[in-house]
DNA sequence: GCTATTATATCATCATGTGATATTATCACA
DNA sequence: TGTGATAATATCACATGATGATATAATAGC
């Protein structure tokens, strides 16, 4: 089955909109002095249902990174005071990563900006998603 | 104005879903022997309305990269036979980047996979987007 | 207690985005 | 035309960050 030029154009518009959102997000993070991944890590921690910490492994899953990449990410975030490492009382292999006060403050500011931007993009993105052709096979 | 824990959780779910889609995309590209950016460049070219080529500047805009990063991207893509550089007959400053036969074939395969994946994710993503709280200010 | 498995950490390496700078072409306007 | 300003692409040195291989430590199964 072939794919029409029109369909390529639609997908390209979708990816461009996505890329623009991500770029906005990267720049917003940089303006707060963080890398984009540091921001995503803060959000993933704060976003853990019913908890205020996450393990290294959970964060790796959330950010779709390998554990070793995440260890380095945590290292840097600890250095600049965004998060702290805590021992898990129940399983001593586990490290709990928790927001530091400054991490909490930065995340709050970034989140507010992102909500605004997402409201602005919402229609574009959902439009491009729902206009995908239904099953081709 | 503060942001509820619930709202952080919702945003975290959205970013995770996004990240999972992007990760799927990265892996699909790698399995075809491309970097994710090479794939995005092919799609951006094919997605130019009414044309089958794009300038370096247009691609930089579409991928939200600086021109110099894009030049390097084109270099590598030319080397492995995904695209070709053509002179623009109307403006000799401009370089037209066009798909090579192999680039076309790879893009077709990747696009089919992505359509399937997007159909699968569509509900999740639109759900998380439309449930954003309305204006807070 | 012995082995397998899970969680985190370390390190060398490589790819890629950035900033500064260069080169060439076009345009506005004298 | 010709001169300066701007635009499009290119080059290069550098730094960040992901990956793969390997290590260390703790837990679980039996």
């Amino acid at each position: 089955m072939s794919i029409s030029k029109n369909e390529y154009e639609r997908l390209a518009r979708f990816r461009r909109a996505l890329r623009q959102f991500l770029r906005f997000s990267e720049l917003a993070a940089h303006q707060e002095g963080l890398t984009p991944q540091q921001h995503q890590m803060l959000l993933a921690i704060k976003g853990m249902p019913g908890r205020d910490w996450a393990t290294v492994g959970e964060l790796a899953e959330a950010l779709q990174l390998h554990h070793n990449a995440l260890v380095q990410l945590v290292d840097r975030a600890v250095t600049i005071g965004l998060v702290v490492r805590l021992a898990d009382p129940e399983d001593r292999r586990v490290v709990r990563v928790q927001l530091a006060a400054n991490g909490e403050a930065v995340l709050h500011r970034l989140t507010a900006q992102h909500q605004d931007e997402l409201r602005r993009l919402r229609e574009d993105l959902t439009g491009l998603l729902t206009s995908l052709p239904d099953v081709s096979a």
Side-chain angles (χ1 to χ4, degrees), chain A residues 8-21:
Chain A
Y8 281 113
E9 292 178 13
R10 186 202 319 285
L11 277 171
R13 282 198 302 277
F14 173 66
R15 291 306 284 244
R16 171 186 290 232
L18 212 56
R19 190 69 193 86
Q20 280 171 343
F21 168 66

Side-chain angles (χ1 to χ4, degrees), chain A residues 26-44:
Chain A
E26 290 166 19
L27 292 177
H30 276 127
Q31 277 168 11
E32 289 283 352
L34 318 202
T35 66
Q37 291 87 341
Q38 285 168 349
H39 170 214
Q40 290 315 297
M41 180 170 67
L42 298 185
L43 179 60

